[in-house]
Amino acid sequence: MSTQHSLIVLARSGYAARGILYLIIGIFALLAAQDSSKPKDSHKSLEALLSQPFGYVLIGIVVAGLLAFAAWRVLQATRDVDHHGKEFKGLVIRAGLLAGGVVNGALAFFALGLLVSGINGSGGSGGGQTKDLLAQLLSWEHSNLLVYLVALVPLGVGIAHIIKGWKASFEKYFEADEEVMRYVRPVSRFGLIARGVVFIEIALLLMISGSSYKAINPPGMKDALNALQNLPAGGVILMVMALGLIAFSVYSLSEAAW
């Protein structure tokens, strides 16, 4: 197998895994719009998935895919396979890709911990012991300034997603005819903008709360979606965002296909 073909397989499997994960999150968030006890974030969604029939097989597939996606993001950042360049804008984009690789790698190991603990008969306890990278950083003493620096990451990612969705700049990476893009384009734009809104909200939660978020409970997607649900007409807003996350999963699966 050639190096180029290996990279293509790595990228496609990674995008597909991300699509599956966001489909699961979106479905659970949709259910949570009617029942607030349902899981909304990636960790809780993986735990819920594990309890389903064939859950071990599905999580195994997701783990492999997330590891592939993390490796692909690292390659995008270090080898510049998308030709972003070494100018300031290109370096910022590549830094974001590298951060995405680290986050997805951490999520893969969390899922792997669930899988191993489940096989060993200890249920989901192994996953609960998994430390998040952000939690490690926020466990430092006097970390309030670091909180604001960390908040810049989801803020930048969120703004980039909204711009990418609004301009539909993702199209240049697709190898699909106009008949396909006529359907993929609007769904992908909606999905990217929705995910961007969630990431910006995570950044705002960090900035507003400052150092009150510590190692035990750093804010994440669940907190962002909970905050939306607590707004007036929150159930409707959460439902729209859930549909947006499902749309993002369609975008990721489309990346895998085309």
Side-chain angles (χ1 to χ4, degrees), residues 16-231:
R18 186 177 68 171
I20 293 170
L21 182 60
Y22 269 87
L23 179 61
I24 296 165
I25 296 170
I27 290 172
F28 280 129
L30 199 59
L31 294 173
Q34 300 174 325
D35 181 1
S36 60
S37 66
K38 298 291 184 182
K40 302 184 190 76
D41 64 345
S42 53
H43 287 188
K44 292 296 182 184
S45 295
L46 285 170
E47 289 174 354
L49 181 62
L50 188 62
S51 65
Q52 304 303 314
F54 305 107
Y56 294 105
V57 175
L58 291 174
I59 287 189
I61 293 171
V62 170
V63 167
L66 286 174
L67 288 174
F69 188 66
W72 171 241
R73 280 293 192 239
V74 171
L75 281 173
Q76 283 180 300
T78 58
R79 300 291 295 274
D80 196 19
V81 295
D82 293 326
H83 309 294
H84 292 297
K86 295 183 179 179
E87 300 296 328
F88 178 74
K89 180 181 177 181
L91 291 175
V92 169
I93 293 173
R94 290 168 67 181
L97 292 171
L98 183 60
V102 172
V103 170
N104 281 279
L107 184 57
F109 281 106
F110 171 84
L112 186 61
L114 285 178
L115 197 61
V116 172
S117 63
I119 291 172
N120 290 336
S122 56
S125 61
Q129 295 169 358
T130 304
K131 296 256 184 176
D132 183 52
L133 176 62
L134 180 58
Q136 291 276 10
L137 292 174
L138 299 186
S139 66
W140 296 349
E141 191 177 359
H142 308 301
S143 62
N144 56 315
L145 293 177
L146 183 61
V147 171
Y148 302 124
L149 291 175
V150 170
L152 294 177
V153 176
L155 179 64
V157 171
I159 293 171
H161 271 61
I162 291 175
I163 293 173
K164 189 176 182 179
W166 183 261
K167 291 185 175 181
S169 58
F170 55 85
E171 288 190 51
K172 63 184 177 182
Y173 298 111
F174 276 73
E175 295 180 355
D177 56 36
E178 181 56 31
E179 184 65 25
V180 171
M181 293 306 298
R182 188 174 66 175
Y183 299 101
V184 170
R185 186 182 299 113
V187 175
S188 298
R189 295 179 74 177
F190 176 42
L192 282 162
I193 291 172
R195 190 176 187 236
V197 169
V198 172
F199 269 77
I200 289 173
E201 193 181 359
I202 292 171
L204 291 176
L205 286 173
L206 275 166
M207 290 177 177
I208 293 171
S209 300
S211 59
S212 64
Y213 281 110
K214 290 296 183 182
I216 297 174
N217 187 31
M221 189 171 292
K222 181 181 178 182
D223 302 275
L225 295 176
N226 277 336
L228 290 175
Q229 193 172 25
N230 292 330
L231 293 173

